Amino acid sequence: MRKILLQLITIFLTYFFANIFTIFAIADSFDAGLLRQGVRQPPMLGKMLTDQMREVESIVFAIRIPGRDHWYVTFGSYSGKQHETPQLAWKEEDGLLCGYGDGAMLVKQNLRSGAIDVLLEDQTGGVRDPQVHYDGQKILFSYRPGGTRQYHLYEIDIDGKNLKRLTDGDYDDIEPTYCPDGSIIFCSSRCKRFVNCWHTPVASLYRCDGDGKNIRILSSNNDHDNTPWMLPDGRILYMRWEYVDRSQVHYHHLWTMNPDGTQQMTFYGNLHPGVAMLDAKPIPNSDKIVSIFSPGHGAPEHFGHLTIVSPNKGPDDRGGAKRIGKGWFKDPYPFSEDCFLAANNDTIWLVNGDGYFEPLFSLPDEFKKRQLAVHEPRPIIKRQREVIIGNRVNLSKSTGFVMLEDVYRGRSLVGIERGRIKKLLVLRQLPKPVNFSGGMEPLTIGGSFTLAEILGTIPVAEDGSAYAELPALQSIFFVALDENDIAVKRMHSFMTLQPGETMACVGCHEERTLAPKITPTLPKAMLQPPSIPKPIAGTPSIIDFPRDVQPILDKHCVACHSPENYGGKLDLTGDKTAMHSMSYIRLTLHGKLVVDNRNRPASNFEPYKIGSGASTLLKYIEPQHYNVNLSTEEKNLVRLWIDTSATYPGTYVSLKSGYYHPSINCTPLIEKCGECHAEKDTREGKKKAWEGWHFKGHHNGWGGTVVNISAPDKSFLLRAPLAKNAGGLAICSKIIFENKDDPLYKEILQSLIRTKKQLEKNKRFDMQGFRPNNDYIREMQKYGFLKKDLKPNETFDYYKIEQEYFNSWYYDPKIKNVKAANK
């Protein structure tokens, strides 16, 4: 009863003070200034100002238009006008849809008097991410001046004087944090890549001097790093969103690194899917941190539950996270385990450890009408510098070193006897220069979102150890191979080495609370020089299914598996479907011939459960299957195609290009075939194609393999119900087409022929004369890989250009940065 009474009192006080202490503009104009009504302090604030917040006089916060797309879409432009992007964007400039809106302030509030000072105001700009310097006299923040598109790092004195820009250029710099050695860590779109599963640019971690000079990339992440902040022990705490052949919407957890980028390691949560952990900060006088746990894939503007995390039992301990109350907040700042600043759309709140909250500041109605919101409240106080970790990089080196103590020491390795694993396949995850959807198509059908490049293999010693020299600043992951080069285990994360860094791992997928074994001798691999990945002869580093795998199928398989010879009811020709090819869909769709993770929120599988170790296709390319006789190089290529995520294209130019879906009047087709093959599609607004129906058991990319765009008359849609004496397969329960003169047969055929002509005219990535879409070209021109004066119909070697883009992320000691920094 007492608890219920306290809750009622809290609700009343929250409502009361939200009205009493609401500030309002003294005129209708945006720049009229702010006035807080009354000077009385809310009761919890009054108490905190004599205790945990006794050193606090004022706070600083930002006012700006919030993002309304995913939590990371708060800067930059969309890749194009497709799908939902016109509705999500705030505005359009020069043909580009922008993920940000106009109008911003940097505001200081005295918590003791209620006085408000506007430090910076820009009616068409953006302000975000303030952080107060250690000396309490200046503020570091990100600012996009009105009339410009990019956020850059700025500093300003706490009295609003001496505004100074630190960084510039054509890319966004956001979420900066001061480091104790005088440098700054921040997130930036200088990484020149797009989210693997969305239409917007990525920001990854960078470092610069305190004056903005000597900018250097720290993270090789394909997707976002967010909200870096210093820990007392000198490490950087940040959110890393990643997915290496696992679900794209489940893994955005807390990681740490040293300020020089070394020792990138999970801090909390990477094993357990389902929450985005953002805006994490250390709690003073505690070994705990506070973070926003945003449910699922994360809410816009980092909204979620205020959560205290204890890492003492390791990053996989779910009991280490404790939610504070039921409020919905963002941008927390801790003073203790019982005192936090936080924000929601229009109010800055003071929250205690029991989840009770009271308002400190609320926006006036005039600001709410403009859809402005408050963000990132921070106290203006002096604070102690964190521990300075010594520099562990050597910028004169282009590689780093990794030592694996024991590959057999880890989870989910039951039944794998010592000596089974002979080598590690070394792969590099490749960034996307641009992207156009939330799906993985056409790279895969329900599988990976990214391309993987083969760097080679390194040996594993008898005692399970391995020692390798690997390229710096790359997203590296491994596949453990047995004596037959078959995949035993697969890594579903990635590691990054800094130039000259040496990193050691206890095992593979081991418990993070394990310490290295104490032994009298070094691991055997350490007794030899480090291994450099050995290239695999006869295999391209990036495998392209139509270019590299299909010729093998044409040579060894198509004679039996084609529309004419329908052995095993399997068509392995390279004939094109609406998005892929007959063979690619048949091999990858049903999860038996080729087994991957299917974009599931799961990882760390039992041995031989995914990849080449579980894919039955490898049995069918051995002589016992009708005496097929593939060469060693051909077998290797098929196996490595599977273990590099079994993608269809070997290039990202395939995105948003070359897909053509036949338009068919399906009403008569449903009447004839629907009893066996169709099911109701309940999605609203679907009017084309099957008019609300689709075939059971077939990939729904308009019919999957039932339509053959390359050879329309060989389409399964036409031949399966066609009588045998008319050239059909007659494998349906009843004959639908007695002959090819059937009106419906002819109507469908003509539709497919029209689609074929469309494809022949506009082409796909694996067709002679193909030209990537204009949005891809625009981004590659911006990055400096395509000339600005490219003619409208001019073609180019996009495989070569894209490889140059991938290789530009290799570190170059001559410029002490990645090569892309000079573009």
Side-chain angles (χ1 to χ4, degrees):
M1 185 69 184
R2 185 169 176 268
K3 184 175 181 181
I4 294 174
L5 182 61
L6 286 173
Q7 289 177 336
L8 290 173
I9 292 172
T10 301
I11 292 170
F12 169 75
L13 289 174
T14 297
Y15 175 80
F16 177 77
F17 288 112
N19 286 274
I20 287 294
F21 292 96
T22 294
I23 56 91
F24 56 89
I26 60 177
D28 290 336
S29 62
F30 175 58
D31 61 348
L34 301 174
L35 176 68
R36 179 170 146 180
Q37 182 179 3
V39 296
R40 289 178 56 198
Q41 296 169 356
M44 189 161 68
L45 174 61
K47 177 184 176 181
M48 294 299 184
L49 287 176
T50 63
D51 192 2
Q52 290 101 318
M53 298 173 65
R54 58 186 174 275
E55 297 179 0
V56 180
E57 289 287 330
S58 300
I59 61 173
V60 63
F61 55 90
I63 298 175
R64 66 175 180 276
I65 301 289
R68 57 186 177 191
D69 195 346
H70 293 301
W71 48 269
Y72 49 86
V73 186
T74 55
F75 68 92
S77 302
Y78 290 88
S79 58
K81 298 176 183 178
Q82 60 270 332
H83 306 296
E84 55 274 87
T85 57
Q87 289 73 46
L88 294 171
W90 278 106
K91 62 178 183 176
E92 180 176 343
E93 289 184 350
D94 298 328
L96 294 175
L97 298 174
C98 302
Y100 54 83
D102 288 337
M105 286 180 170
L106 185 65
V107 178
K108 181 171 73 172
Q109 179 191 22
N110 188 303
L111 294 181
R112 299 178 187 271
S113 69
I116 295 290
D117 291 314
V118 178
L119 305 181
L120 178 67
E121 177 185 342
D122 194 326
Q123 295 193 36
T124 58
V127 171
R128 55 179 295 163
D129 313 320
Q131 191 192 62
V132 179
H133 191 265
Y134 296 102
D135 62 14
Q137 297 302 306
K138 61 182 178 179
I139 301 164
L140 173 67
F141 65 106
S142 295
Y143 175 36
R144 179 183 56 81
T148 66
R149 291 181 180 169
Q150 283 79 38
Y151 280 97
H152 291 119
L153 305 188
Y154 282 75
E155 284 182 326
I156 193 171
D157 291 346
I158 60 173
D159 59 4
K161 298 178 180 179
N162 298 318
L163 178 66
K164 178 183 177 182
R165 187 178 69 184
L166 303 181
T167 61
D168 57 16
D170 294 332
Y171 301 94
D172 290 274
D173 303 323
I174 60 172
E175 299 177 347
T177 188
Y178 283 117
C179 296
D181 63 356
S183 64
I184 296 170
I185 302 290
F186 61 101
C187 300
S188 179
S189 64
R190 297 170 189 268
C191 58
K192 301 176 183 177
R193 61 198 64 181
F194 272 62
V195 174
N196 290 345
C197 61
W198 204 236
H199 317 260
T200 52
V202 163
S204 60
L205 287 175
Y206 278 72
R207 178 179 178 167
C208 69
D209 295 341
D211 58 4
K213 296 180 181 178
N214 296 316
I215 295 173
R216 183 172 74 85
I217 191 171
L218 300 180
S219 169
S220 62
N221 197 355
N222 267 23
D223 280 291
H224 282 276
D225 302 315
N226 279 101
T227 57
W229 203 272
M230 291 298 305
L231 288 172
D233 63 10
R235 293 178 296 163
I236 296 288
L237 176 66
Y238 65 102
M239 190 285 303
R240 169 164 136 174
W241 178 23
E242 59 159 37
Y243 42 102
V244 178
D245 297 340
R246 58 179 179 173
S247 170
Q248 85 275 27
V249 296
H250 285 84
Y251 297 93
H252 2 58
H253 298 109
L254 297 178
W255 287 68
T256 59
M257 67 166 65
N258 295 335
D260 61 3
T262 58
Q263 296 300 306
Q264 296 184 22
M265 185 61 61
T266 181
F267 180 83
Y268 188 78
N270 193 48
L271 183 66
H272 302 301
V275 64
M277 302 176 184
L278 294 151
D279 295 299
K281 300 174 185 67
I283 298 175
N285 304 312
S286 168
D287 57 3
K288 300 174 183 178
I289 61 103
V290 66
S291 177
I292 293 296
F293 276 30
S294 193
H297 188 33
E301 281 290 350
H302 304 187
F303 271 104
H305 303 291
L306 202 64
T307 304
I308 292 178
V309 176
S310 172
N312 290 337
K313 293 184 180 179
D316 303 329
D317 175 35
R318 286 181 165 175
K322 173 189 174 184
R323 182 184 297 181
I324 302 174
K326 298 181 179 180
W328 189 248
F329 298 109
K330 62 178 181 177
D331 307 327
Y333 190 97
F335 296 97
S336 71
E337 292 184 40
D338 191 44
C339 183
F340 307 88
L341 295 177
N344 63 15
N345 280 327
D346 54 21
T347 305
I348 293 173
W349 300 91
L350 184 64
V351 187
N352 71 12
D354 293 323
Y356 296 114
F357 46 93
E358 70 180 19
L360 302 181
F361 175 95
S362 293
L363 282 175
D365 290 340
E366 290 83 354
F367 281 52
K368 297 176 187 177
K369 290 175 183 177
R370 290 197 55 178
Q371 297 181 290
L372 290 159
V374 293
H375 308 262
E376 301 111 14
R378 316 280 194 241
I380 300 177
I381 55 174
K382 292 182 180 180
R383 55 193 176 92
Q384 185 176 356
R385 292 177 187 259
E386 300 83 7
V387 172
I388 297 178
I389 297 176
N391 187 40
R392 300 181 183 180
V393 300
N394 184 343
L395 298 182
S396 66
K397 303 292 185 181
S398 62
T399 59
F401 303 88
V402 61
M403 193 280 287
L404 170 62
E405 182 185 38
D406 187 356
V407 72
Y408 301 102
R409 196 176 185 199
R411 292 169 284 200
S412 302
L413 280 167
V414 176
I416 300 301
E417 67 278 7
R418 289 192 171 273
R420 174 77 66 88
I421 297 172
K422 300 297 185 182
K423 62 183 74 169
L424 299 178
L425 176 64
V426 184
L427 302 175
R428 174 168 75 132
Q429 192 181 38
L430 298 174
K432 280 184 174 177
V434 68
N435 195 50
F436 305 102
S437 79
M440 67 287 291
E441 296 85 2
L443 261 68
T444 61
I445 306 169
S448 179
F449 282 76
T450 56
L451 299 173
E453 182 177 32
I454 302 167
L455 299 185
T457 60
I458 58 173
V460 173
E462 294 176 1
D463 63 350
S465 64
Y467 182 36
E469 181 178 359
L470 301 173
L473 289 165
Q474 304 304 307
S475 295
I476 302 293
F477 63 107
F478 304 101
V479 181
L481 305 178
D482 65 15
E483 66 276 9
N484 296 314
D485 289 338
I486 298 299
V488 180
K489 289 276 289 183
R490 182 182 187 85
M491 188 172 171
H492 287 279
S493 182
F494 68 89
M495 62 171 291
T496 301
L497 293 167
Q498 297 298 311
E501 177 183 5
T502 297
M503 178 186 289
C505 301
V506 172
C508 287
H509 306 280
E510 79 280 5
E511 294 281 354
R512 295 299 182 179
T513 52
L514 290 181
K517 293 182 291 187
I518 299 176
T519 59
T521 59
L522 287 172
K524 289 186 177 181
M526 291 288 289
L527 302 177
Q528 303 292 330
S531 299
I532 296 173
K534 180 181 179 182
I536 300 172
T539 301
S541 62
I542 304 172
I543 298 176
D544 184 284
F545 184 89
R547 181 192 66 196
D548 304 318
V549 179
Q550 188 60 50
I552 298 174
L553 302 178
D554 291 341
K555 179 179 178 181
H556 298 283
C557 308
V558 167
C560 295
H561 302 289
S562 68
E564 292 81 8
N565 299 298
Y566 205 52
K569 295 185 178 180
L570 192 64
D571 183 352
L572 294 182
T573 66
D575 288 352
K576 290 176 172 53
T577 63
M579 189 175 288
H580 300 93
S581 69
M582 291 289 180
S583 56
Y584 182 79
I585 294 176
R586 286 298 190 186
L587 290 177
T588 63
L589 183 59
H590 297 295
K592 293 182 180 179
L593 290 171
V594 172
V595 180
D596 62 11
N597 195 18
R598 294 288 85 196
N599 195 40
R600 290 176 290 176
S603 55
N604 193 24
F605 294 95
E606 298 294 326
Y608 296 106
K609 289 298 182 182
I610 62 173
S612 59
S615 300
T616 59
L617 174 61
L618 297 188
K619 295 192 301 184
Y620 294 107
I621 60 173
E622 293 295 337
Q624 58 263 33
H625 180 65
Y626 295 96
N627 296 316
V628 295
N629 188 25
L630 276 69
S631 68
T632 299
E633 288 185 353
E634 289 172 329
K635 290 178 184 179
N636 281 341
L637 201 151
V638 174
R639 173 181 58 81
L640 288 165
W641 167 67
I642 295 172
D643 285 333
T644 54
S645 308
T647 58
Y648 178 57
T651 170
Y652 291 128
V653 301
S654 58
L655 304 174
K656 204 182 81 167
S657 297
Y659 319 137
Y660 297 98
H661 305 276
S663 178
I664 296 175
N665 177 11
C666 295
T667 301
L669 185 62
I670 294 298
E671 292 175 354
K672 293 179 179 290
C673 305
E675 181 181 350
C676 295
H677 294 289
E679 59 185 347
K680 188 67 176 175
D681 186 339
T682 58
R683 288 177 294 175
E684 295 181 2
K686 184 170 182 177
K687 298 178 180 178
K688 294 184 179 180
W690 297 104
E691 293 186 346
W693 297 77
H694 60 83
F695 267 7
K696 295 178 181 177
H698 292 278
H699 170 52
N700 192 24
W702 210 101
T705 55
V706 301
V707 296
N708 187 325
I709 307 300
S710 298
D713 62 327
K714 296 179 182 179
S715 293
F716 191 73
L717 178 63
L718 294 175
R719 298 187 70 231
L722 178 64
K724 279 191 175 182
N725 58 12
L729 296 172
I731 59 176
C732 290
S733 59
K734 60 181 179 180
I735 300 299
I736 302 299
F737 305 130
E738 294 291 346
N739 54 61
K740 296 179 181 180
D741 291 325
D742 184 288
L744 179 57
Y745 179 99
K746 294 169 70 175
E747 180 181 341
I748 295 172
L749 178 61
Q750 287 305 309
S751 175
L752 297 178
I753 291 173
R754 288 193 297 271
T755 305
K756 177 184 178 181
K757 290 179 179 178
Q758 279 185 298
L759 178 60
E760 290 174 340
K761 177 182 177 181
N762 298 308
K763 307 188 185 305
R764 194 176 288 177
F765 73 94
D766 58 340
M767 298 171 68
Q768 188 71 28
F770 170 77
R771 176 185 164 96
N773 67 69
N774 289 333
D775 294 322
Y776 178 96
I777 290 173
R778 180 196 65 236
E779 294 302 320
M780 292 300 263
Q781 288 175 324
K782 176 183 176 181
Y783 302 156
F785 295 96
L786 282 176
K787 60 184 182 180
K788 297 288 187 180
D789 59 349
L790 192 71
K791 296 177 182 179
N793 296 317
E794 185 177 352
T795 59
F796 53 91
D797 187 343
Y798 39 85
Y799 285 99
K800 177 182 177 182
I801 292 295
E802 202 161 77
Q803 189 67 60
E804 290 176 4
Y805 164 77
F806 297 145
N807 290 343
S808 74
W809 297 107
Y810 281 119
Y811 179 79
D812 184 353
K814 294 179 182 178
I815 62 173
K816 291 183 169 51
N817 212 330
V818 292
K819 298 175 183 178
N822 270 4
K823 285 287 187 178

